[in-house]
């Protein structure tokens, strides 16, 4: 998959900080030489003033003459979760005098992946063909690469204003884990599906043998049971249980996104590591795909946004809508507190995917459990790496861990079941336990 972003900008020339700094330092050196009656400050100031005068003399024909910079970013993705090959092409031309020539250098500001911006000064020939490997670590919406450029004149005395940013953004699909066991709601209220319900109907397993009643189908008559009864008047039919579908609601808490490295939690540009939203998207996508494969109805809600909830529905088109909504979830940076909990379909099973670092997901989960739904709390907080923390921060982390464990105990005491997602072996074992029987109301 190849994506390309192009920005063509015409900017004006302006004196660079180097020219202004040379003039200021040069004047200070000359004045200090006269005041102190010493030659050394003048030996520093006079060359700077001469270089500033030389740079001013070599300025563009007019300070408003435009410089045109074309920035193109091309990204070739080598794999869904691998690295991306980045190609950057920057071409600049400036109008000076009668002709058009290339600037002496280009000042680039590069943003690659989730790392902080990097600045570099390169020649136009080097900027015309830059290559780099960008690690694609996280899933969801992200900026793969962004480039800003400005032209530099002779000796960097003159520079253009920064250009428009050329950026490539994409949504990376999360990895989906195969799930062999799926928990079901306490009651199956759907009319069609692949799960065996407790009510009588067609298409399920054998339930019992009963007398023929008006409305029973003739093909249901069990002639062997009728013959064993020894009566020629009464007919007996085989009754089966009906098949049904499940209503599944995925509530993803995307209000925060924390890295596995605890020292990077307050940083604007954390190092590449698995984050809580990566695990949440993976869990939500895996559950949605698994339940959709069983022809169940799936709903989705992002607890970090106030947008419309996707109600539980079945079908391939709705499944793709849910998967796209999961892939597009991102931490918005501002907490969003719900005034009231979202309304769910009757008899739903609710998966609350959160780090449980605050009380809001706990309150919602307990509210849904009190309303009669089966609720499973999916812990998506990655394993914490606290090796780089000082002693004071380690104590703060222990306090956060204690508060979180109390919230998880509160959930379990309120009838909410717990599923830790990160460990694959423990996750599969927990899913088998959850799927072995339906929770009682």
């Amino acid at each position: 998959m190849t994506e390309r972003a192009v920005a063509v900008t015409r900017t004006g020339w302006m004196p660079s900080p180097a020219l202004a700094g040379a003039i200021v330092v040069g004047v200070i050196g000359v004045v200090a030489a006269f005041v102190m009656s010493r030659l050394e400050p003048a030996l520093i100031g006079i060359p700077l003033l001469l270089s500033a005068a030389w740079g001013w003399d070599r300025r563009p024909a007019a300070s408003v003459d435009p410089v045109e910079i074309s920035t193109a970013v091309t990204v070739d993705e080598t794999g869904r979760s691998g690295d991306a090959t980045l190609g950057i092409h920057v071409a600049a031309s400036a109008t000076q005098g009668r002709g058009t020539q290339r600037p002496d250098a280009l000042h680039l500001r590069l943003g690659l992946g989730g790392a902080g911006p990097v600045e570099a000064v390169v020649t136009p020939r080097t900027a015309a063909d830059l290559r780099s490997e960008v690690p694609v670590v996280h899933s969801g919406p992200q900026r793969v690469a962004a480039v800003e450029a400005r032209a530099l004149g002779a000796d960097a005395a003159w520079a253009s204003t920064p250009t428009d940013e050329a950026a490539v953004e994409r949504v990376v699909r999360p990895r989906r884990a195969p799930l062999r066991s799926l928990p079901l709601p306490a009651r199956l209220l759907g009319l069609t599906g692949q799960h065996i319900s407790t009510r009588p109907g067609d298409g399920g397993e054998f339930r019992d043998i009963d007398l023929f009643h008006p409305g029973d189908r003739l093909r249901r008559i069990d002639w062997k049971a009728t013959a064993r009864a020894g009566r020629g008047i009464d007919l007996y039919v085989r009754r089966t249980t009906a098949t049904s579908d499940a209503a599944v609601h995925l509530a993803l808490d995307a209000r925060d996104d924390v890295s596995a490295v605890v020292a990077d939690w307050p940083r604007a540009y954390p190092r590449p590591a698995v984050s809580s939203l990566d695990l949440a998207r993976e869990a939500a996508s895996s559950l949605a795909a698994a339940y959709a494969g069983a022809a169940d109805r799936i709903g989705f809600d992002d607890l970090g946004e106030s947008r419309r909830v996707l109600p539980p529905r079945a079908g391939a088109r709705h499944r793709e809508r849910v998967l796209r909504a999961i892939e597009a979830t991102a931490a918005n940076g501002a907490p969003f507190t719900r005034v009231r909990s979202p309304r769910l379909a009757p008899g739903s099973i609710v998966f609350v995917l959160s780090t449980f670092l605050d009380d809001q997901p706990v309150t919602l989960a307990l509210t849904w459990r009190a309303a009669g739904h089966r609720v499973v709390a999916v812990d998506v907080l990655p394993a914490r790496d606290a090796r780089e923390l000082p002693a004071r921060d380690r104590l703060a982390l222990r306090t956060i861990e204690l508060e979180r464990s109390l919230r998880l105990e509160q959930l379990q005491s309120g009838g909410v079941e717990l599923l830790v997602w990160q460990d694959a072996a423990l996750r599969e074992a927990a899913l088998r336990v959850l799927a072995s029987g339906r929770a009682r109301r």
Side-chain angles (χ1 to χ4, degrees):
M1 181 178 180
T2 302
E3 295 187 16
R4 182 179 177 88
V6 180
V8 179
T9 310
R10 294 176 64 87
T11 62
W13 289 101
M14 58 184 299
S16 70
L19 181 63
I23 295 175
V24 172
V25 176
V27 171
I28 293 176
V30 172
V31 173
F34 279 103
V35 173
M36 301 171 59
S37 299
R38 296 180 63 90
L39 183 62
E40 291 84 355
L43 294 178
I44 298 175
I46 293 175
L48 291 177
L49 291 176
L50 291 176
S51 63
W54 177 255
W56 185 269
D57 182 68
R58 298 178 62 188
R59 68 186 184 276
S63 61
V64 295
D65 284 350
V67 54
E68 183 173 284
I69 302 179
S70 173
T71 307
V73 182
T74 304
V75 175
D76 295 327
E77 187 177 358
T78 59
R80 177 174 297 181
S81 59
D83 295 342
T85 302
L86 173 66
I88 303 174
H89 176 80
V90 182
S93 60
T95 303
Q96 295 189 10
R98 298 181 179 179
T100 300
Q101 64 181 36
R102 302 172 69 183
D104 284 5
L106 290 171
H107 180 200
L108 305 181
R109 183 181 177 90
L110 308 176
L112 306 179
V118 178
E119 297 188 5
V121 177
V122 296
T123 63
R125 178 176 298 180
T126 303
D129 189 15
L130 292 177
R131 295 287 173 181
S132 177
E133 294 290 333
V134 181
V136 181
V137 179
H138 302 289
S139 61
Q142 54 191 283
R143 175 171 291 191
V144 180
V147 180
E148 293 182 11
R150 63 173 180 172
L152 300 179
D155 298 328
W158 291 82
S160 67
T161 55
T163 64
D164 296 334
E165 185 181 60
V168 174
E169 299 180 355
R170 65 172 53 184
V171 177
V172 180
R173 292 185 177 181
R175 187 179 66 89
R176 296 178 191 171
L179 304 180
R180 300 181 179 87
S181 304
L182 295 175
L184 296 177
R187 295 181 301 165
L188 294 174
L189 303 180
L191 300 179
T192 59
Q194 301 181 8
H195 307 296
I196 299 174
S197 64
T198 57
R199 57 183 177 84
D202 296 334
E205 295 181 352
F206 172 75
R207 178 172 177 171
D208 57 12
I209 295 178
D210 195 12
L211 289 173
F212 182 87
H213 293 88
D216 290 337
R217 298 182 181 181
L218 295 179
R219 63 184 179 88
R220 293 284 185 181
I221 297 177
D222 191 336
W223 297 105
K224 292 183 179 180
T226 302
R228 284 196 300 267
R231 300 178 183 179
I233 301 176
D234 297 330
L235 297 176
Y236 289 86
V237 296
R238 295 173 59 88
R239 296 198 306 174
T240 58
T241 55
T243 56
S244 181
D245 60 353
V248 183
H249 198 90
L250 304 174
L252 195 154
D253 185 7
R255 293 174 301 130
D256 54 9
D257 187 15
V258 295
S259 172
V261 182
V262 183
D264 289 350
W265 286 9
R267 295 179 181 176
Y269 301 100
R271 286 163 290 183
V274 177
S275 67
S276 60
L277 268 186
D278 292 333
L279 294 178
R281 297 188 197 98
E282 176 187 333
S285 298
S286 302
L287 291 170
Y291 278 106
D296 292 326
R297 292 171 291 150
I298 311 167
F300 177 74
D301 183 20
D302 183 359
L303 300 181
E305 296 286 346
S306 59
R307 57 189 177 189
R308 183 173 60 88
V309 179
L310 295 178
R313 293 177 183 173
R317 181 175 299 180
H318 181 72
R319 177 196 61 194
E320 295 302 321
R321 289 181 60 194
V322 171
L323 292 177
R324 285 196 301 268
I326 294 172
E327 296 167 2
T329 53
N332 54 12
F336 173 75
T337 303
R338 291 183 178 270
V339 178
R340 61 182 65 180
S341 60
R343 298 181 60 183
L344 306 179
S348 301
I349 179 171
V350 188
F351 290 89
V352 181
L353 303 97
S354 175
T355 57
F356 299 103
L357 293 175
D358 62 355
D359 295 330
Q360 180 172 342
V362 177
T363 303
L364 291 176
L366 293 176
T367 302
W368 287 325
R369 184 69 189 103
H373 302 284
R374 186 181 183 184
V375 182
V376 179
V378 183
D379 183 9
V380 295
L381 186 66
R384 275 71 68 196
D385 183 2
R387 290 175 294 181
E388 301 180 8
L389 291 180
R392 181 183 61 182
D393 292 344
R394 288 177 182 270
L395 180 60
L397 179 62
R398 291 181 59 185
T399 304
I400 294 175
E401 294 277 6
L402 179 60
E403 293 177 349
R404 204 178 80 94
S405 62
L406 293 176
R407 294 189 187 98
L408 296 179
E409 292 179 2
Q410 181 183 1
L411 287 172
Q412 292 178 301
S413 63
V416 178
E417 298 159 286
L418 181 62
L419 174 62
V420 180
W421 186 263
Q422 183 174 6
D423 194 318
L426 296 178
R427 176 183 67 214
E428 191 61 33
L431 284 174
R432 284 196 299 269
V433 173
L434 294 175
S436 60
R438 300 175 189 169
R440 297 182 180 179
R441 294 189 58 186

